[in-house]
Amino acid sequence: MKTEATGTTSTTTRILALDNLRVALTALVVVHHAAITYSHIPLWYYSEPAQDPSGFLLDVLLVVNQAFFMGFFFLISGLFTPGSYDRKGAGRFLVDRLLRLGVPLLAYVVLLRPLVMLGDYLQDPDVPYWQHYLDTLDAGPMWFAEVLIVFALAYAGWRALRAPLPARPAPLRPRWIVLFTLGLAVATILWRIPVPTGTYALGLPTPDFMPQYAAMFVLGCVAHRRGWFETLPVRASRMGFGAAGVATVALMPVALGTGPLAPAAMSVWHSVFAVGMIIGLTVWFRERWNRQGPRGRFLSRHAYAVYVVHPLVLVGLGWALRWLSAPAAVKFVIMLVPALPLCWGLAFLVRRLPGADRVL
């Protein structure tokens, strides 16, 4: 999604740093699904479950990435939601969200999903394809757009009932970060009692992370009014990365065990790691990656389209490389090297279609 200047706290640095963050997170989406293809977690349209120890490295990558990257997407979306509503009003805001999120969602489900599922279906066509398609119907990676539509509707409803927070820049105090993290950990622990890890519901591949997604979206909305992106001190980057590292060392031995505290420890680790990584990366990008040349602008302009079309590239490469016998991690790298440029190339072509650049 495009980042825009909104509110009294917006700056050029803010726009470019967040645009660059979106590019990095979109690349992580491609990395994530390429890793799933050859991991021990074969939840993808095309998969070759790992048969060698290198698959464990891909599992670690997936666990670490899943802990924070989609929550980061929701925070960035929340950061630009209040300004968009302020400029457009309720009606135009909702129409814009439905166009920018609903049209790509519909295009994926109707046009792209049948293509990425076709190869797997042809391996065992025991029912008509239309029946197989409907029996397995979901939004795939576009679940993100589904949830954002719900969040946008919820935000519009809240604004209809209450006045917006005043735009009053204020430093984000450490105790607020600690309290937010503790609250997120408790909410995640309680949520995962009825929705444990591994649950697949309403087309959502990770509904156990819903407290994080909702909390990060709300945090982004508040951060917009308080100017927290600009006022986080430089040292917060080191502190965030440090907290993520300490939490990993302290909690993962328990979280990966089989004892009764393992689920709670994993929930706490997810929360602390996500907050630490998001703070660390936010400040790091703000301070070091706040410029864009022509290539950076190209990557940013097409990032949302990459998110929509990347399954077509990865599934195609998976089938193209199926003959290759190699360790899982090696095949992952061989797939990823061409996948990233091909995803941005396909996104460029898609956005050249009439009207596509209005929603992508």
Side-chain angles (χ1 to χ4, degrees):
M1 292 109 204
K2 298 174 182 176
T3 50
E4 304 166 340
T6 58
T8 58
T9 61
S10 297
T11 65
T12 301
T13 296
R14 171 181 183 170
I15 297 169
L16 297 182
L18 289 174
D19 274 346
N20 292 332
L21 260 172
R22 283 191 313 109
V23 171
L25 290 173
T26 302
L28 274 181
V29 171
V30 179
V31 170
H32 192 83
H33 290 142
I36 289 179
T37 302
Y38 301 111
S39 72
H40 295 104
I41 311 171
L43 301 176
W44 189 236
Y45 298 109
Y46 175 85
S47 64
E48 295 179 25
Q51 303 297 320
D52 65 273
S54 72
F56 174 73
L57 299 176
L58 301 181
D59 298 342
V60 171
L61 171 63
L62 293 170
V63 170
V64 170
N65 202 30
Q66 182 62 56
F68 78 96
F69 80 132
M70 291 309 299
F72 209 163
F73 267 122
F74 282 106
L75 184 140
I76 292 174
S77 297
L79 188 62
F80 291 98
T81 294
S84 179
Y85 188 99
D86 291 346
R87 292 192 316 276
K88 299 171 182 176
R92 284 185 56 210
F93 169 79
L94 290 175
V95 169
D96 176 74
R97 292 297 83 194
L98 290 174
L99 286 175
R100 296 267 299 153
L101 299 170
V103 172
L105 169 62
L106 184 63
Y108 180 83
V109 171
V110 174
L111 300 177
L112 298 187
R113 187 175 179 273
L115 295 176
V116 297
M117 293 184 59
L118 184 59
D120 182 60
Y121 167 78
L122 292 176
Q123 300 300 300
D124 186 21
D126 56 339
V127 296
Y129 185 54
W130 65 266
Q131 182 178 338
H132 173 74
Y133 174 82
L134 293 177
D135 289 344
T136 59
L137 185 63
D138 63 26
M142 292 303 291
W143 68 265
F144 174 65
E146 282 186 310
V147 175
L148 271 184
I149 290 172
V150 174
F151 287 175
L153 292 171
Y155 180 81
W158 181 81
R159 286 288 298 267
L161 297 174
R162 301 191 59 177
L165 289 174
R168 188 174 65 244
L172 180 57
R173 301 184 185 280
R175 67 174 178 271
W176 297 348
I177 299 173
V178 172
L179 289 174
F180 174 84
T181 307
L182 289 175
L184 177 59
V186 171
T188 303
I189 290 171
L190 295 176
W191 175 259
R192 288 180 178 174
I193 295 173
V195 188
T197 298
T199 301
Y200 189 89
L202 301 176
L204 305 179
T206 53
D208 56 312
F209 278 87
M210 195 55 65
Q212 183 190 116
Y213 301 155
M216 289 300 173
F217 181 82
V218 172
L219 181 63
C221 293
V222 177
H224 170 86
R225 301 296 188 189
R226 296 294 181 255
W228 287 340
F229 180 85
E230 293 84 1
T231 57
L232 274 172
V234 174
R235 68 178 183 275
S237 181
R238 295 190 300 273
M239 295 173 65
F241 289 140
V246 170
T248 300
V249 172
L251 294 171
M252 286 307 280
V254 179
L256 295 177
T258 58
L261 294 179
M266 182 63 78
S267 296
V268 175
W269 176 76
H270 279 148
S271 302
V272 178
F273 188 84
V275 172
M277 288 296 294
I278 288 171
I279 289 175
L281 288 171
T282 296
V283 176
W284 190 59
F285 269 76
R286 187 192 70 193
E287 297 299 315
R288 295 177 179 269
W289 298 94
N290 58 359
R291 300 179 181 85
Q292 277 187 352
R295 273 176 276 188
R297 288 192 293 272
F298 175 87
L299 295 175
S300 176
R301 191 180 307 119
H302 300 292
Y304 184 30
V306 167
Y307 186 95
V308 176
V309 305
H310 79 276
L312 201 59
V313 173
L314 292 182
V315 171
L317 287 172
W319 284 106
L321 294 171
R322 70 188 185 280
W323 57 270
L324 178 63
S325 179
V330 173
K331 290 199 75 169
F332 161 72
V333 173
I334 292 173
M335 170 186 278
L336 190 61
V337 169
L340 289 169
L342 285 174
C343 283
W344 260 270
L346 179 58
F348 169 76
L349 295 176
V350 168
R351 291 188 78 246
R352 291 178 65 87
L353 296 173
D357 60 345
R358 296 181 59 188
V359 295
L360 291 175

